[in-house]
Amino acid sequence: MSGSVDRPRRLRTTTASITGIILTLLSLPPAAFAGQQEATSLVGIVTDESGAVIPGVTVTASSPALQVGSMSTVTDSRGAYRLTPLPIGTFAVEFSLSGFQTTRREGIVLTAAFVAKIDAAMKVGTLSETVTVTGASPVVDPVSTAPTTVLTRETLDVLPSGRNGAVSFMEQAPGVRPQIDIGGDSMTNPPVFRAFGQENQPWQQIEGVLVSAAKNTAQGGIYWDYNMVEEAKVGTFGSAAEIGTRGIAINGILKSGGNTFHGTGFFAAQSDWLQSNNIDDGLRSQGIENGDELVFRNDGSGDLGGRIVRNKLWFYFTARKRALKENTLDCLQPNGAVCFGTDQQVFSTQKLSWQVNQSNRLVGFHTYANKITLGSGSALTSWESRQGLRLPSHVEKIEWQAVKGNSIVISLLAADMHWTSQFRGFGFGQVLKTDSVLGTTTGMVATDGEDPDDYNHQPFRGSVSWYKPDLFLGSHDIKVGGDVMWRRSDRPRTSRSETWRASQEFLNVDVPQNDAGNYQLQFLAGVPNRLIAFNYPTTPIDLQHYTSLYFQDSWRVNRLTLNLGGRYAYDNGFAPEQCRAAAEGPGSVAFPAQCFPKVQMKIFHSLVPRLHAAFDLTGDGKTVVKGGWGRFMFMRYTDQTQHANWNQPASVTYTWHDLNNNKDYEPGEVNLDPNLGDYVTTSQSGGGETVLGVPNPNEKQGGTDEFSASIERELIPNLALRFTGIYSKTFNFQRLQNNKRPYDIYTIPITNKDPGPDNTLGTADDPGTSITYYDFPAEYAGIRFQEPMLINDPNANQRFKSYEIALSRRLASRWQFYASYSYTSKRVPYTSNTGGGSFLAINTFNPNSEINNDDNTNEWLGRASGSYVLPYTVTVSVNYEHRSGNPQRRTAIFRGGRQIPQITLPVEQLGSVWRLPNLNIVDLNVQKTFPVRGGHNVTVRMNIFNALNANTITARTMTSGGNFGRTTGILQPRIAELALSYRF
């Protein structure tokens, strides 16, 4: 048996393989196909001057976005028509019938997945007479019941933005809280986000390709190139059956070619001389003399789109590079210089669109991103403990779209997402040392040698849509689809005695052999405490095979639309048989060389409803009431399988006796037998007894029930207002039980007085309260009594209540405006005590994990943005965000037990005493466009990020001790960005 496993072959983007896929697709009958595009639609009713419906009217839509030039249909016996699928773009619609004047409606803007209701009243006359009707495009969708925020390219180009991919899209969506980003300062970090108080289970797509990570985190799977997206759609609730999970649903529609050549060149720069200083006396009193000062940040890109064959074959290509260097808050190198970090990202995207004939179209794309980061230290992390990172990623697809008449839309896509990375440290020859009281870190970074591998092979995703106007009491738009995905997300670890070899190549410098040791030393306020021995090297393999089928029917009965759907999913998580080598260093006793049989988690079969409705109150598509209920199941992410797969990156913790008091580990200072007195626990990097487990044959799949109700109203042309209420509750929520150390054996109370923030008893800040935790008898000690297993605890189920108000005005008459406010009340019985996000990094099932560990806090978020086009093509725009500060709680380390000699516990309820300050961030933009001959133009722009120069605290230490309350993060100071773009 070996440590490898056969994996589904990754789709390749070579010319030969794409050609083979195309030829295979064209050889199949149309009925075999299903589609995933964010198609738009035009619907409406045609009447005469008396209001009587007119059947037989030819309705033709035309737009430069249409590769076929125009699309037509004929009104039915009810005078109704429907044109779909249409791409995003600006359309003209013409209504013609012998004996009537031709009616033409222009300037209709269609955004992703939007259904525009365009009715027409025709006058008696001749076909040669044409009446052109002008009017605003609809802003209320009378059919869709999943409210979304759609960001068009014209909006993305004028609002002040750090162009930071998915983060910049989410910054404009009501209720969505991504990480704080000041002019792109979070470009080194993966997107981290939540919506209406809830994390995890994202459903992020690039043109229908799912790019969410196979790990169940609140992070995005890859880095997005902001420049490649023509339009982004962000949804937060009410998703239809084609969306697998409840989390934030994003779909980015890539730019395309056209019959005319078009392109852009862009360059933006930020520098230290464009940055203010936001350190005030309060921060200086903490010894902070400089913030995260920017040295430089550059961003350059170019794209080109056009035709290879007119109306047949279009192409699009873009490339981008951005880089930064940034000094670090309150951090100095050993030589006294300020710490700094650097980051470089490159992107490239290629797309082809082939209109094979009037009814068949092929679309393929490939996008590549690579990030190289050389990190920094921090106020509490030494310079040598920084890390380097390299992360390349690929996303690609080939999709066939077919239309049969105006009633059937069919397509099929095959796609792939894959990323890998390498983490390397700089602490060569230095053992990792951390202090749990002071929060400090020195030596080789903990992630040295981590080489994640994450993929989502999607050999099939598709849907078939069938529109029937006269079927069972109304019209039906039926969609049937499904997908097949093979996913992996693992964190292989190279031995820390060998990573110097890879570091030498990665860092492109001559580095010494790394003898930093395969372990970590832990201190308490400088006192030696524990030895944590790693099991590296190890290469885990944890897989998920996921297959789903869904059904949706948009059933329209007069002014009522019922969006009825259901989703079935087969969800199989498992770890194939695999082997590991013996751990190097002190971990070899607990982690010998070993092979493991296949681990089969319980296979989930779920069938869930999505039932929503929309009612057009006024009949003109301008006032619509929407709402309904949907059930969403938690997917079997690889994190769950990792608990039962023993071949995981793990560590064993021992009590360390520093016999010679030299604060370095030497053989003989720890009894390494994992079943004797010095043994404490075996865990993954998240902490807690989370490995060496077993599957639960009686496990139930968790999920969320979501209820929503909203009313949308077009107040005036192009301006819409929405009120929404959302209630969601989880069921079958999970905790992690130790089968061999059950809940009720924690019977030995250990009571400690709370030492207060200074961690010293008998001082003025002592609150006068005590904390009691529970130890267990000695006969349950040792690794032989560790067997974690996922269980369902009904007491752990969570509830969220939210409301939202949103106002949006589409760009028209020289201005646009968006504003929203959302508020969420959370009732979370047990928060995570194993690190990471709120779902899979779960609460362990013992009484100590329940001490002050709930979350009954509230959060709120207000946003406003807008732009105005002044005379002489000068545009000004603004973003404003008010965000509630994150709730916090103080923790302290308590001692006294025999089997649990020390434990870190919260001493107060989350948010009851401590909360970070609320954030208020203002960004400004001003730009001037200069026309150039031939329709070309040049735009000069300036962005000013954090225009108020706020220095709000964003992070601080919360463990009682010498560093309690120390500020470790503030908003970046005001920074200006100068940019120049050329467009043709």
Side-chain angles (χ1 to χ4, degrees):
M1 190 191 315
S2 68
S4 63
V5 64
D6 291 336
R7 305 189 313 188
R9 187 177 64 184
R10 182 167 174 245
L11 297 177
R12 306 184 186 280
T13 56
T14 62
T15 302
S17 62
I18 289 180
T19 301
I21 294 172
I22 291 173
L23 292 175
T24 301
L25 290 173
L26 289 175
S27 68
L28 297 174
F33 295 94
Q36 295 296 321
Q37 286 298 299
E38 292 281 1
T40 68
S41 300
L42 283 168
V43 300
I45 296 176
V46 182
T47 61
D48 61 20
E49 293 177 278
S50 69
V53 299
I54 310 177
V57 176
T58 300
V59 184
T60 303
S62 58
S63 170
L66 276 170
Q67 205 161 355
V68 293
S70 64
M71 289 181 61
S72 298
T73 189
V74 176
T75 57
D76 60 21
S77 59
R78 301 173 296 116
Y81 74 93
R82 172 180 178 269
L83 280 169
T84 195
L86 298 172
I88 59 176
T90 302
F91 286 75
V93 184
E94 193 170 271
F95 305 86
S96 60
L97 179 66
S98 179
F100 290 86
Q101 295 176 342
T102 298
T103 300
R104 182 178 176 86
R105 178 77 177 269
E106 297 180 339
I108 300 169
V109 179
L110 297 183
T111 57
F114 188 82
V115 178
K117 189 173 187 292
I118 304 295
D119 295 334
M122 301 182 68
K123 297 181 179 181
V124 175
T126 65
L127 278 174
S128 60
E129 299 176 279
T130 300
V131 178
T132 300
V133 180
T134 59
S137 297
V139 290
V140 173
D141 186 335
V143 175
S144 173
T145 47
T148 57
T149 299
V150 177
L151 302 168
T152 63
R153 175 47 55 181
E154 60 186 4
T155 298
L156 297 173
D157 281 343
V158 298
L159 292 178
S161 169
R163 296 165 54 85
N164 193 15
V167 172
S168 294
F169 305 143
M170 290 185 284
E171 285 179 331
Q172 301 296 326
V176 181
R177 292 170 66 108
Q179 70 253 50
I180 300 166
D181 184 77
I182 305 296
D185 73 302
S186 70
M187 62 183 275
T188 61
N189 304 316
V192 179
F193 46 83
R194 64 180 181 267
F196 299 110
Q198 300 181 66
E199 299 177 350
N200 301 314
Q201 297 283 316
W203 194 265
Q204 296 183 73
Q205 301 176 92
I206 297 177
E207 284 213 355
V209 181
L210 190 67
V211 296
S212 303
K215 286 177 67 67
N216 182 37
T217 68
Q219 298 181 357
I222 64 165
Y223 289 90
W224 291 42
D225 178 10
Y226 183 90
N227 190 58
M228 72 182 179
V229 176
E230 177 69 20
E231 189 167 293
K233 188 184 81 166
V234 184
T236 53
F237 65 93
S239 295
E242 62 187 312
I243 304 297
T245 58
R246 186 207 172 276
I248 299 172
I250 301 178
N251 197 11
I253 310 300
L254 301 185
K255 296 178 182 178
S256 296
N259 283 325
T260 59
F261 292 99
H262 56 275
T264 60
F266 177 89
F267 181 77
Q270 301 174 35
S271 180
D272 57 347
W273 63 274
L274 294 170
Q275 187 175 43
S276 301
N277 186 306
N278 64 347
I279 304 300
D280 58 16
D281 291 341
L283 293 171
R284 291 190 187 94
S285 68
Q286 300 184 50
I288 299 173
E289 296 296 333
N290 59 281
D292 290 330
E293 295 177 331
L294 184 71
V295 179
F296 68 83
R297 185 182 295 126
N298 299 326
D299 187 356
S301 63
D303 64 0
L304 177 66
R307 67 176 186 272
I308 299 175
V309 179
R310 182 179 293 275
N311 291 331
K312 275 287 186 181
L313 187 60
W314 291 355
F315 76 92
Y316 174 74
F317 171 81
T318 182
R320 182 184 183 194
K321 179 179 180 180
R322 61 181 184 174
L324 72 79
K325 181 177 180 180
E326 188 174 72
N327 294 333
T328 308
L329 173 75
D330 198 20
C331 178
L332 296 177
Q333 304 178 39
N335 62 6
V338 176
C339 301
F340 66 89
T342 64
D343 188 86
Q344 176 179 291
Q345 290 177 307
V346 294
F347 302 90
S348 177
T349 300
Q350 311 86 41
K351 180 178 179 180
L352 286 175
S353 305
W354 178 20
Q355 191 73 43
V356 182
N357 53 42
Q358 186 74 16
S359 301
N360 295 277
R361 185 169 181 253
L362 283 167
V363 178
F365 80 83
H366 167 254
T367 183
Y368 164 79
N370 190 20
K371 178 178 106 163
I372 298 177
T373 297
L374 300 181
S376 178
S378 72
L380 300 176
T381 301
S382 64
W383 175 244
E384 78 272 4
S385 298
R386 67 197 188 281
Q387 71 176 14
L389 166 65
R390 177 166 55 191
L391 194 160
S393 65
H394 296 266
V395 181
E396 52 222 4
K397 83 162 182 182
I398 183 75
E399 179 173 9
W400 183 18
Q401 306 163 5
V403 178
K404 184 175 181 181
N406 193 42
S407 60
I408 297 177
V409 180
I410 48 183
S411 76
L412 168 73
L413 71 81
D416 187 65
M417 184 276 286
H418 188 195
W419 65 266
T420 59
S421 61
Q422 290 180 310
F423 291 86
R424 296 295 178 262
F426 293 80
F428 305 110
Q430 301 181 62
V431 173
L432 172 63
K433 297 180 180 181
T434 60
D435 194 304
S436 298
V437 174
L438 300 178
T440 56
T441 299
T442 61
M444 179 60 79
V445 64
T447 54
D448 179 56
E450 183 172 330
D451 297 324
D453 189 3
D454 199 305
Y455 65 71
N456 186 3
H457 303 318
Q458 300 162 63
F460 171 84
R461 300 197 76 204
S463 65
V464 177
S465 297
W466 176 50
Y467 176 69
K468 185 65 175 175
D470 297 301
L471 177 68
F472 189 63
L473 302 178
S475 66
H476 293 260
D477 190 355
I478 298 170
K479 187 175 185 179
V480 179
D483 45 43
V484 175
M485 295 187 290
W486 302 322
R487 295 154 62 89
R488 179 191 180 194
S489 183
D490 279 308
R491 300 296 183 267
R493 300 299 290 256
T494 303
S495 169
R496 289 165 68 88
S497 65
E498 290 294 323
T499 55
W500 68 279
R501 302 180 188 273
S503 297
Q504 194 158 261
E505 176 184 354
F506 170 43
L507 302 175
N508 197 28
V509 293
D510 187 19
V511 300
Q513 184 167 344
N514 178 13
D515 57 355
N518 218 23
Y519 60 92
Q520 171 185 347
L521 296 177
Q522 184 187 86
F523 297 78
L524 296 179
V527 178
N529 181 42
R530 288 178 172 177
L531 169 80
I532 302 172
F534 305 127
N535 71 339
Y536 315 147
T538 182
T539 303
I541 302 171
D542 298 279
L543 306 176
Q544 180 206 21
H545 288 178
Y546 180 88
T547 301
S548 70
L549 297 171
Y550 64 83
F551 169 87
Q552 292 176 187
D553 182 11
S554 184
W555 176 11
R556 299 193 66 188
V557 184
N558 296 321
R559 291 185 286 169
L560 175 67
T561 300
L562 299 174
N563 289 323
L564 311 177
R567 184 180 182 90
Y568 164 79
Y570 164 89
D571 204 340
N572 177 14
F574 64 98
E577 57 183 20
Q578 50 200 279
C579 297
R580 73 169 181 223
E584 297 184 1
S588 61
V589 178
F591 300 110
Q594 194 173 357
C595 289
F596 307 99
K598 178 181 178 179
V599 174
Q600 178 62 64
M601 303 296 287
K602 184 176 180 180
I603 298 174
F604 291 139
H605 299 267
S606 61
L607 179 61
V608 297
R610 308 279 173 84
L611 309 176
H612 298 88
F615 183 71
D616 185 350
L617 284 176
T618 54
D620 57 3
K622 294 185 177 182
T623 305
V624 182
V625 176
K626 303 179 180 182
W629 162 57
R631 172 163 285 191
F632 300 82
M633 306 306 294
F634 296 141
M635 293 180 72
R636 171 71 84 189
Y637 282 70
T638 57
D639 306 56
Q640 296 175 312
T641 305
Q642 289 168 2
H643 295 306
N645 179 6
W646 288 24
N647 187 30
Q648 292 297 324
S651 62
V652 57
T653 300
Y654 301 96
T655 299
W656 169 34
H657 312 282
D658 188 17
L659 300 177
N660 57 8
N661 200 32
N662 67 351
K663 298 189 177 181
D664 283 316
Y665 165 74
E666 295 176 359
E669 295 183 337
V670 173
N671 185 334
L672 298 175
D673 189 321
N675 286 299
L676 295 180
D678 285 342
Y679 173 82
V680 178
T681 188
T682 303
S683 66
Q684 288 179 278
S685 57
E689 295 176 329
T690 55
V691 290
L692 310 180
V694 295
N696 181 356
N698 299 313
E699 179 188 4
K700 296 179 181 178
Q701 187 174 13
T704 299
D705 282 322
E706 177 193 83
F707 304 85
S708 63
S710 64
I711 181 168
E712 297 182 40
R713 169 64 184 172
E714 181 179 314
L715 301 177
I716 58 176
N718 296 304
L719 180 67
L721 179 67
R722 181 177 76 214
F723 291 95
T724 303
I726 310 162
Y727 173 74
S728 62
K729 59 180 181 179
T730 65
F731 55 89
N732 295 335
F733 211 80
Q734 293 179 324
R735 298 178 73 186
L736 196 64
Q737 171 181 279
N738 188 343
N739 293 336
K740 296 183 178 180
R741 197 178 296 147
Y743 188 102
D744 55 11
I745 63 97
Y746 288 80
T747 57
I748 305 172
I750 309 295
T751 299
N752 287 248
K753 290 184 177 180
D754 182 352
D758 65 0
N759 204 42
T760 302
L761 288 171
T763 57
D765 70 352
D766 291 5
T769 56
S770 297
I771 295 289
T772 298
Y773 75 93
Y774 297 88
D775 205 349
F776 53 85
E779 57 264 31
Y780 288 92
I783 197 171
R784 63 182 178 274
F785 284 96
Q786 179 168 328
E787 188 182 79
M789 183 180 75
L790 293 169
I791 64 167
N792 304 107
D793 181 5
N795 295 319
N797 291 333
Q798 305 175 352
R799 292 178 292 122
F800 301 85
K801 296 179 181 179
S802 303
Y803 68 81
E804 169 203 81
I805 179 172
L807 183 69
S808 63
R809 188 188 192 278
R810 179 181 291 158
L811 181 61
S813 302
R814 307 169 72 92
W815 66 284
Q816 62 182 341
F817 179 76
Y818 301 89
S820 65
Y821 179 83
S822 60
Y823 184 92
T824 296
S825 173
K826 296 184 284 185
R827 295 296 178 264
V828 178
Y830 311 119
T831 61
S832 163
N833 62 352
T834 59
S838 63
F839 174 61
L840 258 299
I842 53 181
N843 185 276
T844 52
F845 189 66
N846 66 57
N848 297 328
S849 297
E850 300 173 0
I851 299 173
N852 292 326
N853 216 19
D854 55 354
D855 180 0
N856 295 313
T857 62
N858 305 318
E859 67 179 41
W860 55 93
L861 178 65
R863 288 199 173 104
S865 64
S867 65
Y868 189 84
V869 182
L870 298 167
Y872 306 106
T873 61
V874 173
T875 301
V876 294
S877 59
V878 61
N879 273 339
Y880 169 71
E881 178 176 303
H882 169 78
R883 180 187 297 206
S884 58
N886 288 330
Q888 296 184 299
R889 55 187 161 203
R890 181 169 58 88
T891 62
I893 298 174
F894 300 99
R895 306 174 190 171
R898 296 291 300 273
Q899 319 317 318
I900 309 177
Q902 72 180 52
I903 189 171
T904 301
L905 293 171
V907 299
E908 60 211 11
Q909 299 295 313
L910 183 67
S912 62
V913 178
W914 305 95
R915 191 163 197 144
L916 288 170
N918 297 335
L919 292 159
N920 291 281
I921 303 172
V922 176
D923 300 328
L924 304 173
N925 169 276
V926 59
Q927 58 188 53
K928 162 69 176 172
T929 299
F930 300 90
V932 183
R933 188 178 62 179
H936 298 202
N937 62 69
V938 173
T939 300
V940 179
R941 71 187 74 193
M942 173 183 283
N943 290 311
I944 302 177
F945 303 107
N946 189 15
L948 301 180
N949 203 33
N951 62 356
T952 311
I953 296 172
T954 58
R956 60 188 170 198
T957 56
M958 293 303 295
T959 300
S960 293
N963 284 321
F964 176 80
R966 182 172 179 174
T967 298
T968 56
I970 64 173
L971 283 181
Q972 272 208 340
R974 177 173 51 235
I975 180 75
E977 177 185 73
L978 302 177
L980 180 70
S981 64
Y982 176 79
R983 184 184 301 273
F984 66 93

